[in-house]
Amino acid sequence: GWSDESIEKIKKLPAIIALEKDGSDEQQAVLAFIRDVKVQDNGIKVYFQKYFPIPFSFLKDNLSDLAMHLFELTRTHWTIKKIDLFEVMQDAGLFPGKR
């Protein structure tokens, strides 16, 4: 369910926001945090704050570490993964920090 408590937990998690892969080499996703989630009669509306771009190639090259499957790059969906996103980004050299 979409309790206030579960929404507050989701708002603390970093997120990757991406459109379905369009085949271009320039396509990017973005690192973001969810600002708010509104549960409405006709669905759910998610508001997010973008922080910086992520090359789509990062997603494809790190599918396993991101706990993703290739088909996820071709679908618009929302999922929460049990990974440390910042650690994966650091290990890949995409996110500044200790290596």
Side-chain angles (χ1 to χ4, degrees), residues 69-86:
H69 300 279
L70 188 57
F71 74 88
E72 290 182 270
L73 299 180
T74 62
R75 302 288 184 270
T76 298
H77 70 288
W78 187 15
T79 183
I80 295 174
K81 306 289 187 172
K82 290 184 179 184
I83 63 161
D84 183 333
L85 181 56
F86 289 137

Side-chain angles (χ1 to χ4, degrees), residues 6-24:
S6 63
I7 290 171
E8 287 305 311
K9 285 181 182 178
I10 288 169
K11 289 165 56 175
K12 294 177 183 173
L13 300 173
I16 295 174
I17 309 293
L19 297 174
E20 295 176 8
K21 178 105 176 89
D22 66 8
S24 74

Side-chain angles (χ1 to χ4, degrees), residues 54-67:
I54 298 172
F56 227 76
S57 60
F58 165 78
L59 302 180
K60 187 175 178 186
D61 293 346
N62 294 281
L63 286 173
S64 178
D65 291 334
L66 293 167

Side-chain angles (χ1 to χ4, degrees), residues 4-5 16 29 32 34 40 43 50 57 61 68 82 88 98:
D4 290 343
E5 182 181 332
I16 295 174
I34 306 301
Q40 303 174 165
K50 296 188 253 181
S57 60
D61 293 346
M68 293 177 67
K82 290 184 179 184
V88 172
K98 291 183 180 179

